[in-house]
Amino acid sequence: MRSVVLFAVIFGATMLGACSTVDFEQPKEASYANLDTSDTRLGRALGPLREARHPQSGFAPLLPGVDALSARLLLIGLAEEALDVQYYLVGNDPIGAVFFEALLKAADRGVRVRLLIDDIGTRNIEHQLAPLNSHPNLELRLFNPFANRNARGLDAWDLNRLSRRMHNKTLIADQELLILGGRNMAAEYFAANPAYNFGDVDTAAVGTVARDASAMFDRYWNDRYSTPFDHLAAPDTESLSLEALRSALKETSQELAGSPYAMLVEDRAVAMSELHADEYFWSPYKLVYDNPQKALSRESLPEEKLSYSLGQVAGNATQELFVLSPYFVPRKAGIEWLSEIAQRGVQIDVLTNGLAANDHIVVHGGYAPARKPLLCKGVRFFELRGDIVMEGTKASEVSEAKSKLHGKAFVVDRRYLFIGSFNWDPRSANLNTEMGVLIDNKEFAGAFADGMYGALDKNAYEVFLEDGALRWHARKAGGVVEVLNKEPEVSWWTRLLANLSRLLPIRGQL
């Protein structure tokens, strides 16, 4: 009898936990960016330039991971009044530690730090969140959080809400200088992961675009789903003190201290601090982002979806559309749309992950069926090899790490360039919130396209059809071309799993 009662109590407690919810109606204090930056170093240096160049803004690409980390640390170090930081993921690793250390040092200087993180990836850094939030100059909010901090699986009943995530990535210093793009804050995005590393794309930006990004950040920060960390139930673990967190972060970040990688990061930061305004690509632009209310439901106005703005630009291509997307999963309507563009005589080229480089087999299963119908319309597919080495990994002593593609960009007619967080898949289109910038600059767009095309022979397989069957061109040393009749670099078992994953009724979630 006692065992029955005990079971009933445990079951009842589990069910109560499973039905616990986040109180999104709990009052919270709204806050906004201070656009008077005249008393800051960045405001004095960049404010007159912003006004003189308006409505254009300046953009500088950040492609190598070492450069991307150096730029972020430099930007955080330059801030004197405010840092607005928005990320999908922060890793529990040396890069995440360096990042949090830099934010805490800024807060120690009196900088107001507003840190907005999507909650999907915070489980591994849960122990760091409370002490971070305890700093008087740092406020932490989690986007669309889990109610059960220790056993997140108990929130499975609320899957419709929890499947909608904030995928935005930006860092804004004193409302004058920002970085946006595809990178999260973890080792694999900055050529420092011993297992695998991502090739990615960011841009630094100055000018009016920083004010636009600040308005976007305010909109997300004050949104219903951005929950102050204080409003969430504390996890059943003993929280670290702020000083204990500082010690733990220092211990983790010391794994990089004094290394060739750390010295390279410092050297690149010095070089970037000397970047002159004329070295940016000054251009007309449009900052594009989803309404944060997209996280509430599918019923958003079309013009409030980033995919609408991107579709208008890409759909109006007249000559060439180059797409860089690690996850490329067009559904039936997407295949028809791309086919119509191709039939107008537009050359569409797609660079995505090959099966050997894809970190999600089910995503490859969603992508694979689109190849044949689009190849028949003249679309060309290039798939990243799994045996290439990302730039910067030699310095971090992880040059044997597997490489994957994570950058999100596209070029239209070598005039328009998009850089941001948007993947060409149903998840980015319909579920996650995304952001990015559309840049109208022939020099920048053309240089970016040339760089991508120039690296294809070395870094990617070209997919083609031969008698109705898929084949892969592989260029080897000396210009020799090998034709492969199977997905390259993977075992029969991986091919089987990828093929079986096509049967799963989850393409809308990919």
Side-chain angles (χ1 to χ4, degrees):
M1 180 66 178
R2 286 183 61 188
S3 62
V4 174
V5 172
L6 180 60
F7 174 80
V9 170
I10 293 173
F11 179 77
T14 300
M15 293 307 295
L16 285 173
C19 294
S20 60
T21 59
V22 178
D23 182 6
F24 292 111
E25 304 307 324
Q26 187 172 351
K28 62 187 176 187
E29 184 178 354
S31 65
Y32 300 90
N34 178 12
L35 299 184
D36 182 3
T37 62
S38 57
D39 289 336
T40 67
R41 173 171 42 187
L42 288 175
R44 290 190 294 272
L46 300 177
L49 183 66
R50 166 175 44 79
E51 294 176 1
R53 294 277 194 165
H54 178 81
Q56 293 188 346
S57 286
F59 302 92
L62 299 169
L63 300 184
V66 174
D67 285 3
L69 179 61
S70 300
R72 283 166 169 80
L73 297 179
L74 176 63
L75 187 150
I76 294 171
L78 288 172
E80 292 182 333
E81 181 180 285
L83 282 167
D84 291 334
V85 184
Q86 182 179 20
Y87 279 101
Y88 174 70
L89 175 72
V90 178
N92 185 24
D93 59 29
I95 295 298
V98 167
F99 177 60
F100 279 157
E101 275 190 313
L103 293 182
L104 285 172
K105 288 178 182 177
D108 291 342
R109 300 195 305 268
V111 177
R112 181 188 73 164
V113 180
R114 294 190 293 176
L115 177 60
L116 178 60
I117 307 175
D118 187 89
D119 197 35
I120 193 68
T122 59
R123 184 175 61 83
N124 291 331
I125 59 169
E126 185 79 48
H127 61 292
Q128 300 175 349
L129 301 182
L132 273 174
N133 190 60
S134 71
H135 195 293
N137 291 328
L138 191 154
E139 184 179 356
L140 171 66
R141 295 186 179 182
L142 300 182
F143 191 86
N144 198 11
F146 287 78
N148 292 285
R149 306 308 298 168
N150 291 295
R152 299 187 179 200
L154 295 179
D155 283 13
W157 66 274
D158 204 9
L159 187 61
N160 183 57
R161 172 178 71 86
L162 292 171
S163 66
R164 300 169 182 274
R165 309 312 316 176
M166 181 196 75
H167 200 232
N168 308 37
K169 307 141 175 32
T170 191
L171 197 162
I172 311 165
D174 290 340
Q175 280 64 61
E176 295 287 359
L177 180 61
L178 76 145
I179 296 171
L180 63 86
R183 287 182 172 91
N184 297 300
M185 292 306 306
E188 56 268 25
Y189 299 92
F190 301 96
N193 187 315
Y196 65 93
N197 287 285
F198 288 124
D200 221 317
V201 180
D202 292 322
T203 182
V206 297
T208 305
V209 66
R211 300 302 173 94
D212 296 340
S214 295
M216 178 213 67
F217 183 90
D218 284 346
R219 190 172 181 183
Y220 274 83
W221 181 256
N222 296 309
D223 185 73
R224 179 177 185 265
Y225 269 16
S226 294
T227 304
F229 187 76
D230 290 339
H231 290 187
L232 299 172
D236 297 332
T237 56
E238 187 172 339
S239 180
L240 295 173
S241 68
L242 180 56
E243 290 311 308
L245 174 64
R246 291 183 195 273
S247 296
L249 292 175
K250 184 176 182 180
E251 182 179 350
T252 303
S253 65
Q254 284 297 311
E255 295 179 27
L256 296 178
S259 68
Y261 180 86
M263 290 186 282
L264 182 58
V265 169
E266 292 177 6
D267 289 345
R268 295 302 300 145
V270 171
M272 289 179 187
S273 67
E274 298 171 354
L275 186 65
H276 193 272
D278 289 340
E279 297 179 68
Y280 284 79
F281 292 98
W282 287 89
S283 322
Y285 72 93
K286 181 180 181 181
L287 186 75
V288 288
Y289 56 91
D290 283 311
N291 182 338
Q293 293 295 301
K294 180 182 178 184
L296 290 170
S297 118
R298 298 174 188 270
E299 303 301 324
S300 298
L301 295 174
E303 57 269 24
E304 291 189 317
K305 285 188 175 183
L306 176 145
S307 56
Y308 176 83
S309 297
L310 301 189
Q312 283 191 314
V313 174
N316 287 327
T318 60
Q319 297 176 331
E320 180 184 277
L321 171 61
F322 178 87
V323 176
L324 176 71
S325 182
Y327 314 121
F328 184 82
V329 188
R331 304 183 76 181
K332 182 179 179 180
I335 292 173
E336 292 175 353
W337 179 71
L338 289 168
S339 297
E340 291 172 2
I341 297 173
Q343 287 174 327
R344 297 201 312 261
V346 176
Q347 179 58 59
I348 302 176
D349 294 328
V350 178
L351 173 58
T352 190
N353 279 309
L355 180 54
N358 204 315
D359 53 334
H360 298 294
I361 286 180
V362 293
V363 172
H364 189 85
Y367 147 70
R371 289 183 293 197
K372 282 188 177 182
L374 288 173
L375 284 167
C376 288
K377 300 297 182 181
V379 176
R380 295 189 298 189
F381 285 97
F382 301 89
E383 296 180 352
L384 188 77
R385 302 171 63 106
D387 59 356
I388 63 172
V389 175
M390 293 298 174
E391 184 177 350
T393 55
K394 185 176 181 180
S396 58
E397 299 178 346
V398 295
S399 57
E400 299 303 315
K402 192 174 183 180
S403 298
K404 304 173 185 290
L405 178 65
H406 194 263
K408 304 104 169 38
F410 67 83
V411 181
V412 178
D413 294 336
R414 296 181 180 249
R415 173 180 172 179
Y416 299 102
L417 169 63
F418 169 81
I419 297 174
S421 66
F422 182 84
N423 293 303
W424 285 54
D425 62 19
R427 172 156 289 281
S428 281
N430 301 317
L431 297 176
N432 290 348
T433 68
E434 307 285 357
M435 68 166 294
V437 63
L438 277 164
I439 303 165
D440 181 357
N441 187 302
K442 290 183 178 180
E443 183 183 2
F444 192 4
F448 185 89
D450 287 342
M452 292 294 108
Y453 280 116
L456 289 179
D457 280 354
K458 179 181 178 181
N459 297 329
Y461 301 101
E462 182 176 358
V463 188
F464 66 101
L465 287 175
E466 183 177 74
D467 297 328
L470 291 175
R471 298 288 185 264
W472 288 261
H473 271 146
R475 294 194 180 273
K476 295 185 172 277
V480 177
V481 177
E482 182 182 4
V483 176
L484 307 174
N485 60 9
K486 296 178 181 179
E487 301 267 9
E489 299 183 65
V490 294
S491 66
W492 67 269
W493 177 247
T494 300
R495 295 187 195 102
L496 176 63
L497 290 178
N499 286 327
L500 289 176
S501 70
R502 300 188 193 190
L503 304 176
L504 299 174
I506 58 171
R507 291 191 70 189
Q509 293 285 328
L510 299 179

